[in-house]
Structures are given as structure tokens and as C-alpha cells.
Amino acid sequence: MNKRQLRIVYMGTPEFAVTPLKKLIEKGYSVVGVVTNPDKPAGRGQKIKESPVKIFARKHNLPILQPEKFRDPKFLEELRNLKADLQIVVAFKMLPEVVWAMPPRGTFNLHASLLPDYRGAAPINHAIINGEKKTGVTTFFLTHEIDTGSILFRREVPIAGNDTAGELHDRLMEAGAELVVETTDAILSNSYRLINQHDLVAPNQPIKKAPKIYKNDCRINWLDSAEKIHNLIRGLSPYPAAWTTITNKDESLQLKIYASEKELTDHHYSPGEIITDHKSFVKVACKNGLINLLEIQQAGKKRLTTADFLRGFPTIDQWHCLIDE
């Protein structure tokens, strides 16, 4: 069997899943169908929005399936009729066994971490929030429990001290696309060795998790260290973004913080106190230093550099960040 004979069904939804699909096609693989999320209304106008994977698939004339439910008999029949030898899943929903066990060569998933660490919905964010110096991408065969299947390949990707989740996302997307092709090549030639995830867990070492992130997880605690706050801000940038509430005697406002610098220094300020020169910087005091806010967004307004923000908010030093909410 050669590349053109290996029938692949590809499953994914967001931009992260587009690059691996594009790379497979460029390398000459035969993608006989794409499964992606149903179209849904989005934004203030609630206009119907197609997934990035669907948009790409349509441009390349690939058959598209958009099931509401994976156990729907009609969808399962359509999927069987594609006669896939292999299914590849990137940034998609949890699949039932009736789907992932269908092709003879199995179904493998690309995950944006070095499994077994950072299983879950938000591995990129949590790796930065936790101050990791490296992460990576992993391919593994799907099984019943999420992100626990036998590993095919892993590839490390370094994390720099000021990387944001958005920047790391893009690097992992490129590394992941290469790993998907490498994995497909190995499955085609039957030249791979499976690794049980349990064999990669050190004794008495807990597996790091990457659960879904909710709004309250994004709130900055100014009693934390400068390092922890800086990591939270960059780990949530550009989405969903770290936030804080500022208040004065009369009102409160919510600010999202997209970029920051940490200054480790002794100071006499109270945690949450705001320091500014009214022209170029806004800093907030924390446990062991200051956080220099570089990009700020007031609720309902545009994301701004600090200098632009100060032009529209000259009284920021009369406010302070709430500690407990």
C-alpha cells in the first residue's frame, strides 16, 4: 500500500487542526473525508460560522461530515461508506468506540503536550501557567479514557520565559503537523513501537492535568508572586485572557491583561496598588515585586497598549485592584 492508497478520514475543528490536514495533503496522502463540528451562530450578529477545518476542506473539495451526534446511525453509515484505513483526530471532541474502532489501522490523536502530563482540554495554557520550560506534541492511539492511549511519537518544544499561549500554540501547531505526517508514515510502513503511558510516569510523581479553564480561573490574585501572576497572564493570552477588577470610591471596572513584564523588587506598596507615570507605564504591586501591564482592555472597549490606555484613563492611579472578590 502507498500513500495514495491509504484512505484517511480526518477529524478536527479549530485552526490548530488545519495545518496538519494541509501537511498531509501536501505530502500526497489521500484524505477521503473530513469530520468537523456543525456550523453554529457566533458573535454579536449571531451569523452562522463554519469551522476553520470545514473552510479548508471545502476549498480542497474534500467530503465533509458534520454530525450532531456521533452515534447517529446515518452518520455512522456515511462514515463506513468512506472506507477509511486510518482516522486522524486533531483538536476534536471525545469519540465513542464505535467511531474510533472503525478503521482497520486504528484512530490516532494529536495532543498538544508531552503525554502523560497535561491531559485535558487546555494543555497549552496550563503548561505556561505552571511555568514549564518545555512542552511538546504527542500522537497516540485512541482508547476509552481521554488522552490515555498508547503513545506513538512525542516531540519536545521549548517554552521561553515570555512566551504567550498564542505564540506557543502556533509553534506547537507546526510541530504537530510534522508529527502527524511522521506518525502516518510510520503506520503506513508498520514501523512504530507503542509506549504505554504508565511507563513514562515516575514513581510518586503525580500526572499534571490540563482541565478546561473557566472565567474565575483567569482572575489575577495580587497576593501571588510576580512570577505566578506573569505566568498566568501570558498563559491566558490572547484567550481567554487574565483579568482583574479595579475600583475607586464610586465604581468598579473589569480589565483584561494581555501582556506584562515582571519586576522582582522590594517595595513599600500594598498588593493591588496601582503605580503610573500617566504617560507610559501602569504597574501593579504584588507579593514580591511589580507587574508592568503592557496591553490592557477595559470591558466593552478595544485592546490597547498602556500608553494608549492612559490617554483615555488618566486617573488610573486613583483606583486599585481588588484583592478578594
Side-chain angles (χ1 to χ4, degrees):
M1 182 180 285
N2 59 36
K3 288 182 178 181
R4 298 307 302 172
Q5 293 171 323
L6 183 72
R7 297 175 64 84
I8 296 172
V9 167
Y10 188 89
M11 303 183 180
T13 293
E15 194 66 37
F16 190 87
V18 173
T19 301
L21 175 57
K22 180 174 181 286
K23 190 79 72 175
L24 284 167
I25 293 171
E26 289 174 349
K27 294 297 182 179
Y29 278 105
S30 179
V31 178
V32 298
V34 168
V35 183
T36 190
N37 281 354
D39 302 342
K40 60 181 181 180
R44 291 184 180 180
Q46 290 295 284
K47 292 182 179 179
I48 298 299
K49 185 177 181 181
E50 298 176 334
S51 77
V53 164
K54 180 182 178 181
I55 293 169
F56 178 89
R58 193 177 63 247
K59 288 180 180 177
H60 289 78
N61 299 312
L62 301 176
I64 300 167
L65 301 180
Q66 295 180 273
E68 292 284 350
K69 296 180 179 179
F70 293 126
R71 289 186 173 86
D72 181 351
K74 182 181 178 183
F75 164 67
L76 292 175
E77 181 181 3
E78 291 173 331
L79 189 60
R80 287 190 193 96
N81 288 340
L82 293 174
K83 295 181 172 59
D85 299 301
L86 174 69
Q87 291 176 158
I88 300 172
V89 180
V90 180
F92 201 45
K93 299 173 182 176
M94 187 173 179
L95 300 174
E97 183 176 2
V98 68
V99 174
W100 56 256
M102 192 177 292
R105 297 206 180 208
T107 299
F108 79 81
N109 179 252
L110 172 71
H111 188 72
S113 81
L114 295 174
L115 289 174
D117 279 334
Y118 296 109
R119 295 170 179 165
I124 299 174
N125 306 94
H126 283 285
I128 294 180
I129 290 169
N130 289 344
E132 300 287 0
K133 304 301 182 187
K134 67 178 181 180
T135 184
V137 284
T138 303
T139 52
F140 66 96
F141 279 122
L142 287 187
T143 187
H144 291 93
E145 293 186 31
I146 191 166
D147 298 337
T148 61
S150 296
I151 289 173
L152 287 149
F153 297 97
R154 300 197 303 173
R155 180 173 295 183
E156 287 188 5
V157 174
I159 304 176
N162 288 313
D163 276 344
T164 65
E167 292 164 343
L168 182 59
H169 168 282
D170 292 349
R171 294 209 306 279
L172 289 171
M173 182 172 63
E174 293 296 331
E178 293 175 2
L179 196 64
V180 163
V181 172
E182 179 183 338
T183 303
T184 307
D185 289 345
I187 290 173
L188 177 62
S189 62
N190 198 30
S191 56
Y192 60 88
R193 182 178 63 87
L194 294 178
I195 303 169
N196 190 309
Q197 291 197 32
H198 292 295
D199 295 338
L200 298 175
V201 180
N204 303 316
Q205 183 69 37
I207 294 174
K208 299 168 185 175
K209 298 179 181 179
K212 185 177 180 179
I213 293 172
Y214 295 94
K215 182 177 179 180
N216 201 50
D217 300 322
C218 305
R219 184 175 67 89
I220 299 170
N221 181 357
W222 298 104
L223 295 174
D224 283 337
S225 68
E227 183 77 18
K228 187 172 182 179
I229 294 170
H230 179 60
N231 288 344
L232 181 72
I233 291 169
R234 64 194 186 93
L236 296 173
S237 178
Y239 182 84
W243 60 273
T244 188
T245 298
I246 61 171
T247 186
N248 61 16
K249 293 179 180 179
D250 303 313
E251 58 182 321
S252 296
L253 296 172
Q254 191 176 112
L255 300 180
K256 287 184 176 180
I257 314 300
Y258 291 93
S260 64
E261 292 176 340
K262 64 179 184 292
E263 297 180 15
L264 304 179
T265 181
D266 293 330
H267 61 75
H268 60 276
Y269 303 109
S270 301
E273 189 171 344
I274 296 172
I275 306 100
T276 182
D277 65 351
H278 301 284
K279 293 180 180 179
S280 61
F281 72 80
V282 173
K283 300 179 182 181
V284 182
C286 60
K287 180 178 177 181
N288 64 334
L290 303 171
I291 297 294
N292 191 8
L293 310 185
L294 303 180
E295 293 185 43
I296 306 168
Q297 183 179 30
Q298 187 178 335
K301 298 191 176 182
K302 292 181 180 180
R303 176 175 167 177
L304 299 171
T305 63
T306 299
D308 289 338
F309 174 80
L310 284 168
R311 278 191 278 274
F313 209 133
T315 62
I316 187 67
D317 60 334
Q318 297 174 24
W319 299 65
H320 68 272
C321 297
L322 286 182
I323 302 299
D324 296 310
E325 300 177 356

